[in-house]
Amino acid sequence: MQECLFCRIARKEIPADIVWESETILAFRDIAPVAPTHILIIPKNHIPSLNEAEDPQLLGQILLAAKEIARQEKIDGEGYRIVNNIGENGGQSVGHLHFHLLGGRRIGWPPG
Ligand code: AMP
């Protein structure tokens, strides 16, 4: 079985455009951006999706990291969106928990 793509990015085995990092979290630019700013924020440890996430501290740290990265990217003033896709109906394509940080343009609502 092929190993998880985002685990390999977290271990720096696969290159990524990393914009923020802590001991437990990594943030890097999405390879196929759908907005001028499109960053993925992941826990370094493997968690398949939010369904399996149990650590409230880690989840809180991810949200606070998103806020910090938005400020770093200078999109905090105009606004941005944080998205977490879960499973098939949610549109999740990579089985490692990740939050999309989207900004730099008006993001439509409702989602498609
Ligand atoms: P999701 O559809 O919510 O599972 O999001 C997965 C995201 O990962 C998509 O937006 C992809 O463009 C992105 N992606 C896939 N492979 C890579 C990669 N090697 N580096 C950065 N982003 C990636």
Side-chain angles (χ1 to χ4, degrees):
M1 205 177 88
Q2 196 159 19
E3 230 226 309
C4 170
L5 172 65
F6 286 178
C7 282
R8 297 195 66 196
I9 288 177
R11 288 202 303 268
K12 318 262 172 77
E13 291 171 7
I14 292 178
D17 187 355
I18 294 168
V19 298
W20 194 94
E21 182 171 14
S22 73
E23 201 179 315
T24 53
I25 295 164
L26 189 72
F28 51 94
R29 294 193 193 278
D30 196 292
I31 204 167
V34 299
T37 298
H38 187 172
I39 289 164
L40 300 174
I41 306 166
I42 68 166
K44 288 184 175 175
N45 285 338
H46 186 74
I47 301 171
S49 81
L50 190 64
N51 281 340
E52 292 78 25
E54 289 177 343
D55 183 347
Q57 204 180 338
L58 177 67
L59 291 173
Q61 284 167 351
I62 288 173
L63 280 180
L64 291 174
K67 182 182 78 163
E68 206 171 307
I69 296 161
R71 195 165 49 225
Q72 187 178 292
E73 294 287 316
K74 300 184 171 43
I75 57 170
D76 55 323
E78 289 181 336
Y80 54 95
R81 185 169 299 165
I82 297 164
V83 174
N84 175 233
N85 296 326
I86 301 143
E88 205 178 327
N89 276 0
Q92 183 178 5
S93 64
V94 176
H96 181 126
L97 178 65
H98 54 280
F99 291 78
H100 299 255
L101 172 62
L102 300 161
R105 67 166 172 83
R106 179 69 67 97
I107 311 290
W109 188 266

